[in-house]
């Protein structure tokens, strides 16, 4: 009996955790229809409804919640037992799923993951880049990368990538020749500013700091971009000033396409951290990645 229903039980847990057939299917790499069929098959086998389905949501029934309360820890133990077999291999195998901010995916992770995957050819790394704050564990990820202010206190967090970063302000020479160069952050209210909208819909204020004085500006301008590349391109074209991560501006500054503005007010902050739950049986791919990030050789390559 258990052999025939075990895959369907895994499907139930995935759908219940994500509250969505589509999201669960994306995480498991299968079709939503196959998960729906698995749940129907399981419900027919046990003779009770396990999930309530509407066009907008999927939630466990009372019977489903009782089953999940005992099933989730049991499946976790099975996964841990299988993962423990990695201790008998020269190199761990398996899939490591990370949820990371866009800046990390585009400008920070590439050299790190290239070295890691070269050292661990048995591991598959799956990276999802998003600037929205999510519960990474409920969404099926092993770990995430975020900045200090958005990491839950019950998580373990270790530095990854640059130990400090900063936001820069810049503009094209043509723009500054036409509109003048701001000498103080408050001057920006009289300038065209290129803003960024996050996937959550939030448009952050521009924050500057010097000698302990912090100034926040709510800029206005002709463009609100959803990607850094679009914003940088508009700044190079002379449409306005831009304020963003140094990593996005360094190449344009190096070429002279953009020039620095208000450099004495640029704000530095702690770099990103890899975070994951504290648990006794850490999946082997995650354990290998944590050990790699902590290794002296890797730290020596981090600015």
């Amino acid at each position: 009996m258990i052999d025939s229903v075990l895959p369907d039980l895994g499907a139930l847990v995935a759908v219940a955790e994500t509250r969505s057939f589509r999201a669960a299917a994306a995480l498991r790499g299968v079709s939503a229809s196959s998960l729906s069929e698995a749940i129907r098959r399981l419900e027919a086998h046990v003779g009770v409804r396990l999930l309530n389905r509407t066009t907008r949501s999927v939630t466990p029934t009372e019977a489903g919640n009782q089953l999940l309360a005992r099933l989730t820890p049991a499946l976790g133990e099975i996964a841990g037992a299988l993962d423990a077999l990695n201790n008998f291999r020269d190199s761990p195998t398996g899939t490591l799923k990370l949820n990371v901010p866009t800046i990390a995916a585009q400008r920070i992770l590439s050299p790190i993951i290239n070295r890691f995957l070269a050292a661990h050819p048995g591991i598959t790394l799956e990276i999802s880049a998003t600037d929205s704050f999510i519960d990474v564990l409920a969404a099926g990820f092993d770990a995430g990368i975020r900045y200090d202010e958005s990491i839950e206190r019950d998580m373990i967090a270790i530095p990854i990538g640059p130990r400090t970063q900063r936001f820069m302000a810049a503009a094209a020479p043509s723009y500054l020749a036409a509109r003048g160069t701001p000498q103080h952050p408050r001057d920006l209210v009289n300038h065209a500013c290129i803003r960024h909208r996050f996937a959550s819909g939030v448009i952050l204020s521009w924050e500057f700091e010097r000698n302990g004085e912090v100034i926040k500006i709510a800029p206005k301008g002709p463009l609100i971009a959803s990607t850094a590349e679009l914003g940088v391109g508009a700044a190079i074209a002379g449409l306005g000033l831009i304020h963003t991560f140094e990593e996005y501006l360094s190449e344009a500054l190096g070429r002279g396409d953009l020039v620095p503005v208000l450099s004495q007010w640029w704000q530095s902050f702690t770099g990103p951290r890899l975070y994951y739950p504290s648990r006794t049986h850490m999946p082997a791919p995650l354990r290998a990645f944590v050990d790699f990030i902590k290794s002296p050789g890797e730290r020596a390559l981090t600015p």
Side-chain angles (χ1 to χ4, degrees):
M1 174 181 173
I2 187 65
D3 291 343
S4 63
V5 300
L6 190 57
D8 296 344
L9 291 172
L12 174 67
V13 171
V15 175
E17 286 181 344
T18 60
R19 296 295 197 268
S20 165
F21 280 94
R22 181 173 296 180
L27 290 172
R28 293 171 66 89
V30 298
S31 67
S33 61
S34 68
L35 284 184
S36 181
E37 176 58 31
I39 300 302
R40 283 195 296 268
R41 189 167 53 240
L42 180 60
E43 289 177 331
H45 185 86
V46 298
V48 295
R49 178 176 288 275
L50 300 172
L51 295 175
N52 289 317
R53 310 163 180 81
T54 71
T55 56
R56 295 187 176 183
S57 66
V58 179
T59 57
T61 63
E62 182 178 355
N65 276 323
Q66 288 191 18
L67 176 60
L68 287 165
R70 301 184 65 178
L71 180 62
T72 303
L75 289 179
E77 286 296 319
I78 293 173
L82 293 173
D83 186 70
L85 297 176
N86 273 304
N87 295 327
F88 296 92
R89 299 188 178 98
D90 294 332
S91 178
T93 62
T95 299
L96 173 61
K97 295 183 178 182
L98 301 179
N99 179 271
V100 308
T102 304
I103 177 65
Q106 293 180 343
R107 302 291 171 142
I108 295 174
L109 275 184
S110 182
I112 297 173
I113 63 176
N114 291 345
R115 294 190 292 267
F116 172 71
L117 292 175
H120 298 281
I123 292 177
T124 298
L125 186 58
E126 182 177 334
I127 296 175
S128 175
T130 175
D131 293 318
S132 300
F133 298 122
I134 66 171
D135 184 336
V136 293
L137 300 182
F141 295 96
D142 298 296
I145 294 176
R146 283 293 181 267
Y147 292 87
D148 280 343
E149 67 274 10
S150 59
I151 298 177
E152 298 291 341
R153 296 307 174 195
D154 59 348
M155 293 285 180
I156 297 174
I158 61 173
I160 183 172
R163 297 303 183 256
T164 60
Q165 290 179 268
R166 59 181 178 174
F167 273 92
M168 290 182 169
S174 60
Y175 174 87
L176 298 177
R179 298 287 299 273
T181 301
Q183 302 300 313
H184 191 279
R186 294 191 182 92
D187 296 340
L188 295 174
V189 297
N190 299 315
H191 281 269
C193 297
I194 298 166
R195 293 166 288 170
H196 178 81
R197 186 188 298 276
F198 290 91
S200 63
V202 172
I203 300 176
L204 296 179
S205 59
W206 289 11
E207 191 166 310
F208 298 87
E209 182 178 4
R210 186 175 69 175
N211 298 328
E213 180 184 6
V214 176
I215 295 178
K216 293 184 178 181
I217 302 295
K220 296 182 180 180
L223 177 66
I224 300 174
S226 62
T227 67
E229 290 78 7
L230 186 61
V232 173
I236 292 173
L239 293 182
L241 294 110
I242 189 169
H243 180 252
T244 188
F245 285 95
E246 175 180 4
E247 288 82 1
Y248 286 136
L249 298 179
S250 57
E251 293 178 5
L253 289 168
R255 295 191 305 264
D257 294 337
L258 296 175
V259 295
V261 174
L262 299 171
S263 58
Q264 293 181 334
W265 289 89
W266 290 348
Q267 189 178 54
S268 297
F269 50 91
T270 303
R273 293 175 178 268
L274 174 76
Y275 70 100
Y276 52 94
S278 174
R279 52 189 175 191
T280 304
H281 301 295
M282 185 186 298
L286 176 58
R287 182 172 59 250
F289 192 61
V290 170
D291 290 344
F292 180 82
I293 296 302
K294 289 182 174 180
S295 65
E298 187 61 23
R299 288 201 300 267
L301 294 172
T302 300

